[in-house]
Amino acid sequence: MNSPGARVQHLDGIRMLDLFAGPGGLDVAAHFLGFKSIGIEWDRNACETRYAAGLPTIHADVSVMRESRFDEIPRSVEILTGGPPCQSFSVAGKGAGRRALDTVKSYIHRLVHGDDETTIDEELRALDDPRTALVLEPLRWLLKAIETEGREPYKVIVLEQVPAALPLWDVYARLLEGGDGRLRGYKYDAECWELKTEQYGVPQTRTRAVLVARLPGYGAGKPPKTTHLPFDVHRRIRKTAKVDTQQAGSESSENKSPWISMADALNNASQLKDSHVDVSRLRTGGSTTFFVVSNYGSGGDPKNRGRRNSSEPAFTVTGKISRNKVYKSEEDKKAARSVRFTIPESGVLQTFPHNFPWSGNDQAQQVGNAVPPLLGMHVLSKALRGNAPEPHELADARTWPTVPRSTTDELRVIGCGDQGQCPPDSHKVIRPSRKHAP
């Protein structure tokens, strides 16, 4: 099982390295576009999902891999991607990263211009939230590749984060364009995009800040063309449209499709062969009709829980999606008769295949932490090929291929067969995952 042949088979031809890979949002996107990837992930549960899905993985800390295990990364890698943990920058968090934006900008400059990294590391450990420093890791990986004998600089870099991190991507972009200091003259064409997921067919409102940087001659500079209309998240405040009305605007003249609703996404998934999605409990009189009450407050009032109808896109899918309450009617709400989205349904709202093999514990958190694969397909296709995903690629992305148990076992050995190199305490015995209410 741990034979050299198995390792070569699974690691041969890998072109993309995904930092902070999670359960595989960008890796799933790369798979359907025909690019083989390997991910580095700290969380054991996410690794179990990745192994079950057949995604090459190293169970490790991103910083440790860069510092002491860099030689384990296949030399065929030419694309660097990653979505550093967003908690310190997200509006749902405590905001340590947002408060430290100017400080982090200075560290980006200092890293490129050769300041002592030991000193920088000591200062980073003093930040209010240590996770803030992780947004620097993609840059440090690029510099490591440039400075390591026998390695080539990454040809394409794709990074994503919450919108609050966009100013940091701007700093990244300007420095990558300059090629100064430790970049050793390598100059990238760099662009920063703010993308709304529902405009790319994701049945969910979620805005992401994306950085795409390419060495000259690779890819195209403009953001991927939107395929769907935007959703007006402030519609009730404006009182300009009924709940079920698609937002009108200048983009409607471009013949874009309406955004995808929760009901449409779940119904379509439920009709696929051997579907893991069953919407029968959400049906009333033959139609899938429900509304969702968010676990989060809105408008600054924690008691004012947001609400979305089934004919609308979902709220941003987070690790708390299993706490959102789903009701078929107002009568059910008054009687406190709610259901919850299952893990396969939550994954579909993130545009994972209906049969994606979610494994390990904390599956709702895994779903919420991921990049929506459909958004990833549009971003990667534009960055790597200069065009949109092909229709057959989008169609194929609805279903995940069956992965033999032998492949899962071999990947687990590659990823964490030597448990001594995995994150501390990550292989302690843990309780079985709790069942998510249907």
Side-chain angles (χ1 to χ4, degrees):
M1 183 170 61
N2 193 19
S3 67
R7 183 176 178 85
V8 169
Q9 172 191 350
H10 295 304
L11 301 187
D12 185 46
I14 284 177
R15 297 181 60 190
M16 187 178 105
L17 170 63
D18 188 13
L19 307 179
F20 313 103
L26 285 174
D27 303 79
V28 169
H31 167 83
F32 286 117
L33 294 175
F35 294 89
K36 192 171 180 179
S37 66
I38 188 169
I40 302 175
E41 176 52 41
W42 165 279
D43 179 64
R44 178 191 179 190
N45 294 304
C47 286
E48 285 300 322
T49 292
R50 295 178 60 86
Y51 300 147
L55 298 173
T57 304
I58 300 175
H59 181 200
D61 177 88
V62 165
S63 301
V64 171
M65 286 298 302
R66 171 179 53 80
E67 293 167 355
S68 61
R69 300 174 60 189
F70 190 77
D71 61 334
E72 295 180 33
I73 302 302
R75 293 179 181 268
S76 57
V77 166
E78 56 185 357
I79 304 158
L80 180 70
T81 67
C86 66
Q87 290 89 340
S88 72
F89 295 97
S90 172
V91 294
K94 296 181 180 179
R98 299 195 302 277
R99 293 191 299 272
L101 276 177
D102 289 339
T103 301
V104 178
K105 289 178 185 178
S106 72
Y107 286 124
I108 297 173
H109 283 277
R110 290 171 62 184
L111 284 170
V112 169
H113 293 294
D115 277 18
D116 180 65
E117 289 206 48
T118 301
T119 301
I120 290 176
D121 285 335
E122 291 176 354
E123 294 177 17
L124 289 171
R125 284 192 286 270
L127 293 175
D128 289 343
D129 188 335
R131 293 173 297 184
T132 302
L134 296 176
V135 77
L136 302 172
E137 278 299 325
L139 174 61
R140 300 179 89 164
W141 274 80
L142 170 61
L143 298 176
K144 182 81 171 185
I146 291 174
E147 294 171 347
T148 299
E149 184 177 354
R151 295 278 179 167
E152 297 290 333
Y154 304 112
K155 295 176 181 177
V156 181
I157 302 168
V158 178
L159 307 177
E160 66 86 35
Q161 250 281 6
V162 295
L166 192 60
L168 301 181
W169 290 163
D170 284 331
V171 175
Y172 259 73
R174 303 294 80 78
L175 288 170
L176 292 175
E177 289 173 338
D180 297 327
R182 295 171 66 190
L183 292 169
R184 297 184 178 180
Y186 289 105
K187 296 183 179 181
Y188 287 77
D189 299 323
E191 296 285 340
C192 297
W193 307 330
E194 187 169 289
L195 307 179
K196 295 182 181 297
T197 56
E198 80 272 17
Q199 292 191 266
Y200 295 93
V202 179
Q204 167 198 170
T205 54
R206 185 188 196 109
T207 304
R208 305 306 289 179
V210 176
L211 166 71
V212 173
R214 297 159 301 270
L215 289 175
Y218 293 89
K222 294 181 180 180
K225 186 176 181 180
T226 58
T227 57
H228 293 70
L229 291 172
F231 178 74
D232 185 3
V233 297
H234 301 296
R235 65 210 177 283
R236 290 191 177 92
I237 296 175
R238 294 193 180 97
K239 296 182 179 179
T240 58
K242 294 182 180 180
V243 170
D244 293 341
T245 301
Q246 304 280 2
Q247 181 184 4
S250 59
E251 294 201 51
S252 61
S253 62
E254 299 180 23
N255 297 318
K256 297 187 187 302
S257 301
W259 33 259
I260 304 297
S261 70
M262 290 183 281
D264 285 344
L266 296 175
N267 278 329
N268 290 339
S270 71
Q271 295 169 15
L272 297 173
K273 182 180 179 180
D274 299 324
S275 179
H276 291 203
V277 174
D278 180 3
V279 295
S280 59
R281 73 193 193 291
L282 300 175
R283 290 187 181 277
T284 301
S287 63
T288 304
T289 305
F290 58 86
F291 62 90
V292 181
V293 177
S294 173
N295 182 59
Y296 294 98
S298 62
D301 181 0
K303 295 182 180 179
N304 182 25
R305 302 302 172 94
R307 174 170 164 160
R308 290 279 175 91
N309 281 5
S310 55
S311 55
E312 300 174 325
F315 296 105
T316 297
V317 174
T318 72
K320 303 295 190 295
I321 187 171
S322 59
R323 299 184 186 180
N324 292 348
K325 296 181 179 181
V326 183
Y327 299 97
K328 288 200 295 184
S329 66
E330 290 292 344
E331 289 72 21
D332 281 352
K333 185 174 185 297
K334 291 177 182 178
R337 292 191 297 265
S338 66
V339 295
R340 308 295 173 103
F341 288 127
T342 64
I343 293 301
E345 290 166 351
S346 301
V348 165
L349 296 179
Q350 278 277 56
T351 64
F352 277 89
H354 70 93
N355 61 334
F356 196 68
W358 300 102
S359 303
N361 285 354
D362 298 327
Q363 293 179 14
Q365 192 66 51
Q366 292 183 50
V367 175
N369 286 348
V371 178
L374 181 55
L375 178 68
M377 289 182 70
H378 281 279
V379 170
L380 289 177
S381 184
K382 184 66 174 178
L384 302 177
R385 309 188 303 196
N387 54 27
E390 297 292 336
H392 71 88
E393 293 171 334
L394 296 174
D396 289 345
R398 297 178 299 175
T399 301
W400 192 248
T402 301
V403 175
R405 177 63 182 270
S406 59
T407 296
T408 293
D409 292 341
E410 290 165 357
L411 289 174
R412 186 181 292 109
V413 170
I414 292 171
C416 56
D418 179 0
Q419 296 182 5
Q421 295 200 74
C422 293
D425 301 326
S426 63
H427 285 272
K428 287 185 175 180
V429 175
I430 52 179
R431 297 187 305 272
S433 58
R434 65 183 178 86
K435 293 183 179 179
H436 293 274

